[in-house]
Amino acid sequence: MSQSDPENTEATPWWRGAVIYQIYPRSFYDSNGDGIGDLPGITAKLDYVASLGVDAIWLSPFFASPMKDFGYDVSDYRAVDPMFGTLDDFDRLVARAHALDLRVIIDQVYAHTSEAHAWFQESRADRANARSDWYVWADPRPDGTAPNNWLSVFYGPSWTWDGRRGQYYMHNFLPSQPNLNVNNPAVQAALFDTARFWLERGVDGFRLDAINFAMHDPSMADNPAVTEFAFAPKRPFDFQHHLHNQSQPELVPFIEGLAGVVRGFGPDRFTVAEIGGEQALAEMKLFTSGGDRLNTSYGFDFLSAEQLSPRLILDTLAKWPGREGEGWPSWAFSNHDAPRVVSRWGTPQAHDAWAKLLLTLLTCLRGNVFLYQGEELGLTQAAIPFERLRDPEAIANWPLTQGRDGARTPMPWLSAAPNAGFSRVEPWLPIPHDHIASAVSEQNGEADSVLAVAREVVGLRRSSPALRSGSFRPLDLPPPLLGFDRVCGPDRLRCLFNLGSVPRDCAELASGQVLIVQGAVDRVRGTLGGLAACVLEMPPA
């Protein structure tokens, strides 16, 4: 099977095939000495980000929030939380990013707000106010129990009783994150106005958090139980098929309306959806199909996979064959919600080899690439002791799940400085000792460092039409070898990987001009060493 795309032209939008660098603001750089990263800190480090060769940055939430879910519980969509700075700081960040030819993508959380949001405070006051139906309220069953059996992602029921109204309100996540009633046209209009506010400040687009949780089934029908598990359940949420508390068909007109708002600010503005759950693939395609919906989406195919194999890569890419009208995929190996990939798929004994292999593989895939801060350094997943955990999911489900804190530890900038140069004081999460040895100061200028490889492979992708937007043509190789061609017009690159630990014969090495070599590659003998990668420029197909 092959995937076909139109040839790359000057009309191809900037985001198609882009590499987008995710910044988790709390953990990037602390400019004011309070142990927490901030917007001026990000601005101070944008030259470093630009040196990676990426096309854009994506900022996780920096909005006003009680921080019960670390910013994904927004109390004011149009305000910067004081711990991160001010709107003026944000404007300066955007200006500096644009001066460095970096686009700026920000999170928008439209499925829910914080309970501290003024909208919810008004909505909960009584059943007759102007915003009484801006959130999802329901009467109890005759016996006083919750309206149905819906369960939240983090723990427990999706319903919390509110004595002010004498009703339950719905929340797919924490009880402090009430779900907006996005079925309501007035709510949609308010969210569109929120989008306009940030677009007018110069942002280049949005990453839409958990957007498939933004609507519910008004019938309030019970979710059916899972009877056959594809994996061992870790949370109550895993015991249901979530057919009614998320993933509703009415989301499509809302998405089209939002996409229209974004396009109204110019064809270069960008939208990407985060989609998880059982119906993720169908929803990713639905929300990105045609030309009047979102530009792209990403799911958890790689973020939730515990092992890497050629089959995982080929089967996942095969889901996006590039048919006419089909959307454009995006891929991430690591992010703020998933264990870092070098720990999840690699081994400590071959840490650097794994880090380099995974960076090369990610940047060779068809679709957009999301590179998570520290991934370019090969940072490992941190082990956080229970007493230092901050993630509510981790605390609630300890010790069955370790939560997300291990992927959110501060960036190590200077190995010789206190707190690895992240802050002058003890940071909000501890910095692992092995991260200090991987600091930017240790790798900058080292030709064989993980950071040097990151710059090399990102640079190749940026300059190559085939890698950026070409088709994907798998090669028939025996595992653990993985191979595919990326083709755009006359340009053809052959991407070869050995995902095993011992050398393998690989006849495909014989022809072509070498562009990238990672590990032991012997073209004379035709062998690809363990955890080695090679990208070749081939004669036109």
Side-chain angles (χ1 to χ4, degrees):
M1 186 208 73
S2 66
Q3 297 170 334
S4 58
D5 289 300
E7 292 186 15
N8 191 53
T9 69
E10 291 184 2
T12 300
W14 71 266
W15 54 262
R16 193 173 178 90
V19 179
I20 301 171
Y21 186 84
Q22 182 192 354
I23 293 176
Y24 191 69
R26 291 180 71 94
S27 296
F28 201 60
Y29 182 62
D30 170 20
S31 71
N32 62 358
D34 63 358
I36 297 171
D38 46 50
L39 296 182
I42 295 170
T43 304
K45 297 296 187 181
L46 284 178
D47 287 81
Y48 164 78
V49 177
S51 79
L52 301 175
V54 300
D55 300 277
I57 58 172
W58 152 32
L59 304 180
S60 291
F62 52 85
F63 315 108
S65 168
M67 298 294 163
K68 293 184 178 179
D69 191 25
F70 294 96
Y72 286 93
D73 50 326
V74 179
S75 59
D76 188 340
Y77 282 118
R78 304 187 186 190
V80 173
D81 195 276
M83 76 167 57
F84 295 125
T86 65
L87 277 171
D88 285 343
D89 290 327
F90 178 77
D91 292 340
R92 282 188 284 269
L93 187 159
V94 172
R96 180 58 183 157
H98 287 169
L100 292 168
D101 198 27
L102 291 169
R103 312 271 181 161
V104 179
I105 312 302
I106 66 171
D107 257 324
Q108 294 286 270
V109 187
Y110 290 161
H112 54 261
T113 70
S114 164
E115 63 183 349
H117 198 292
W119 297 348
F120 186 69
Q121 294 299 308
E122 182 176 354
S123 186
R124 79 190 315 182
D126 56 59
R127 302 190 189 189
N129 66 78
R131 292 192 172 94
S132 62
D133 59 350
W134 278 40
Y135 291 80
V136 183
W137 295 96
D139 292 326
R141 289 172 171 168
D143 62 358
T145 55
N148 55 37
N149 72 342
W150 297 352
L151 295 172
S152 69
V153 173
F154 287 159
Y155 52 84
S158 286
W159 298 98
T160 291
W161 176 257
D162 190 280
R164 298 165 184 81
R165 288 182 51 135
Q167 287 182 305
Y168 285 91
Y169 67 86
M170 176 192 168
H171 51 88
N172 275 312
F173 296 92
L174 293 172
S176 56
Q177 294 170 294
N179 260 67
L180 281 164
N181 181 17
V182 182
N183 301 65
N184 184 335
V187 174
Q188 294 186 22
L191 295 175
F192 294 164
D193 282 344
T194 295
R196 292 187 186 98
F197 174 84
W198 292 107
L199 291 164
E200 288 167 356
R201 298 197 88 88
V203 304
D204 298 286
F206 302 126
R207 180 257 191 192
L208 303 171
D209 179 72
I211 192 64
N212 55 339
F213 283 89
M215 285 188 181
H216 68 288
D217 178 357
S219 77
M220 298 287 180
D222 280 354
N223 282 327
V226 175
T227 56
E228 296 184 11
F229 290 95
F231 55 88
K234 295 181 179 180
R235 304 168 293 189
F237 185 81
D238 300 332
F239 287 84
Q240 291 184 354
H241 294 293
H242 296 276
L243 304 183
H244 301 291
N245 63 310
Q246 63 176 87
S247 307
Q248 300 305 297
E250 292 79 11
L251 268 170
V252 171
F254 169 70
I255 282 170
E256 290 175 346
L258 177 61
V261 169
V262 175
R263 285 196 306 274
F265 283 79
D268 282 351
R269 305 297 174 105
F270 170 71
T271 49
V272 54
E274 176 204 34
I275 306 291
E278 294 175 293
Q279 304 171 65
L281 178 63
E283 290 177 302
M284 289 166 69
K285 292 197 171 190
L286 180 66
F287 297 166
T288 60
S289 64
D292 57 353
R293 298 179 186 171
L294 305 179
N295 296 129
T296 183
S297 63
Y298 79 90
F300 291 79
D301 302 80
F302 299 134
L303 292 168
S304 62
E306 296 183 358
Q307 291 184 322
L308 173 64
S309 68
R311 184 50 49 202
L312 171 68
I313 299 297
L314 297 178
D315 286 353
T316 301
L317 271 290
K319 296 172 184 175
W320 294 87
R323 298 189 182 99
E324 185 176 354
E326 182 181 83
W328 180 254
S330 290
W331 310 113
F333 285 177
S334 292
N335 75 4
H336 65 292
D337 283 334
R340 287 192 176 272
V341 70
V342 74
S343 295
R344 190 159 31 95
W345 289 350
T347 60
Q349 298 82 4
H351 168 271
D352 281 11
W354 272 109
K356 295 171 184 178
L357 172 74
L358 294 170
L359 283 166
T360 308
L361 174 58
L362 179 61
T363 53
C364 286
L365 297 181
R366 174 186 177 268
N368 292 341
V369 168
F370 284 90
L371 192 68
Y372 181 47
Q373 66 180 51
E375 196 170 355
E376 78 279 10
L377 303 175
L379 295 189
T380 56
Q381 180 75 359
I384 308 296
F386 180 79
E387 63 273 14
R388 292 295 304 272
L389 287 176
R390 304 292 297 274
D391 178 16
E393 181 185 18
I395 295 168
N397 295 298
W398 178 270
L400 190 59
T401 62
Q402 298 295 306
R404 301 167 294 180
D405 288 335
R408 298 177 174 183
T409 54
M411 273 283 287
W413 295 101
L414 299 168
S415 60
N419 306 307
F422 166 76
S423 175
R424 301 189 299 274
V425 301
E426 177 72 15
W428 73 287
L429 281 175
I431 300 175
H433 182 73
D434 69 301
H435 285 199
I436 297 174
S438 298
V440 173
S441 62
E442 292 293 309
Q443 298 197 43
N444 239 344
E446 293 294 327
D448 194 39
S449 67
V450 176
L451 177 57
V453 169
R455 287 173 170 146
E456 181 183 21
V457 295
V458 170
L460 177 62
R461 182 183 178 93
R462 188 160 188 166
S463 66
S464 168
L467 287 185
R468 199 169 178 92
S469 60
S471 62
F472 180 91
R473 302 180 183 180
L475 302 175
D476 186 14
L477 299 178
L481 294 181
L482 167 67
F484 49 84
D485 285 351
R486 299 296 312 280
V487 181
C488 183
D491 299 320
R492 180 164 61 120
L493 299 191
R494 178 153 293 174
C495 307
L496 301 169
F497 307 88
N498 181 358
L499 306 186
S501 59
V502 298
R504 301 280 178 166
D505 292 337
C506 184
E508 283 72 13
L509 287 168
S511 59
Q513 178 183 346
V514 174
L515 299 179
I516 297 282
V517 170
Q518 303 299 340
V521 176
D522 190 331
R523 300 188 72 195
V524 175
R525 293 185 173 86
T527 59
L528 199 58
L531 306 180
C534 186
V535 179
L536 301 161
E537 185 176 24
M538 304 295 289

